[in-house]
Amino acid sequence: PDFYPLAILEHYITLSLPEWAREISGDRQIQASVEHQARKMPGFLQVSLKVPTPQAGDYVRKVVSALDGLARGEVEPSRFREARDLAFLQVSNARNDSRKRLFDLLESNLYELGMSHLTNYGLRLDRVRETHFAAAVKRYFPAESYLLIVSGKAEELEPQLRDLGTVTMLN
């Protein structure tokens, strides 16, 4: 039921990345991508950042802080509207590709969404308000249940992440 707010979340975080880069490194450029999963594994959010190891902890804190703030309703209206527009453009552009149209159709059938999912996508996306958005973030990303996976040099990352909770080093 929260597919549309989670689709907006992906773009909202993407739009936040340059601001975070400026705050952390003094640079507005960052190599990153954001991807969410709303059907197969709701609540999965992948933020892939390519940053120097000493800055990794700061970026992880920014992601956690942003999700916590959004869950409390701290939504920047202009960024929210732009993220909603980008979510619509992403789907609109995908419809120009015959393979993506086929996958959209197959996915609609697989999840029993019906054709109205495709034909009314823009309308349903436009109905999402900041309050729906904040409620979905709170439901799928409650502060007490994060599982963060960070890759990099373990001996450098572990001290940076210790204050976020239990850190388990994997091979």
Side-chain angles (χ1 to χ4, degrees), residues 114-134:
M115 286 304 297
S116 66
H117 170 72
L118 297 174
T119 56
N120 294 328
Y121 187 88
L123 179 63
R124 289 182 177 158
L125 196 61
D126 196 46
R127 288 181 184 159
V128 177
R129 299 287 174 250
E130 287 93 340
T131 53
H132 303 124
F133 180 61

Side-chain angles (χ1 to χ4, degrees), residues 84-114:
R84 190 173 54 195
D85 291 346
L86 286 172
F88 179 73
L89 279 174
Q90 181 182 27
V91 170
S92 297
N93 291 340
R95 300 239 171 92
N96 294 331
D97 180 343
S98 58
R99 278 186 55 170
K100 289 183 180 177
R101 274 196 315 265
L102 176 62
F103 281 113
D104 283 347
L105 185 61
L106 292 172
E107 195 171 61
S108 294
N109 188 38
L110 175 67
Y111 294 107
E112 299 176 1
L113 300 172

Side-chain angles (χ1 to χ4, degrees), residues 1-3 6 36-45 111 136 139-142:
D2 292 319
F3 172 81
L6 291 175
H36 83 289
Q37 192 57 254
R39 291 192 193 105
K40 299 172 215 149
M41 193 169 20
F44 169 80
L45 177 71
Y111 294 107
R139 187 170 18 265
Y140 288 98
F141 304 101

Side-chain angles (χ1 to χ4, degrees), residues 8-20 28 34 76 78-87:
I8 295 169
L9 176 63
E10 179 179 334
H11 296 284
Y12 190 94
I13 290 177
T14 300
L15 291 169
S16 300
L17 290 170
E19 179 183 315
W20 298 349
R28 290 190 56 85
V34 182
E76 189 178 313
S78 62
R79 186 173 297 164
F80 172 79
R81 286 189 301 274
E82 187 175 359
R84 190 173 54 195
D85 291 346
L86 286 172

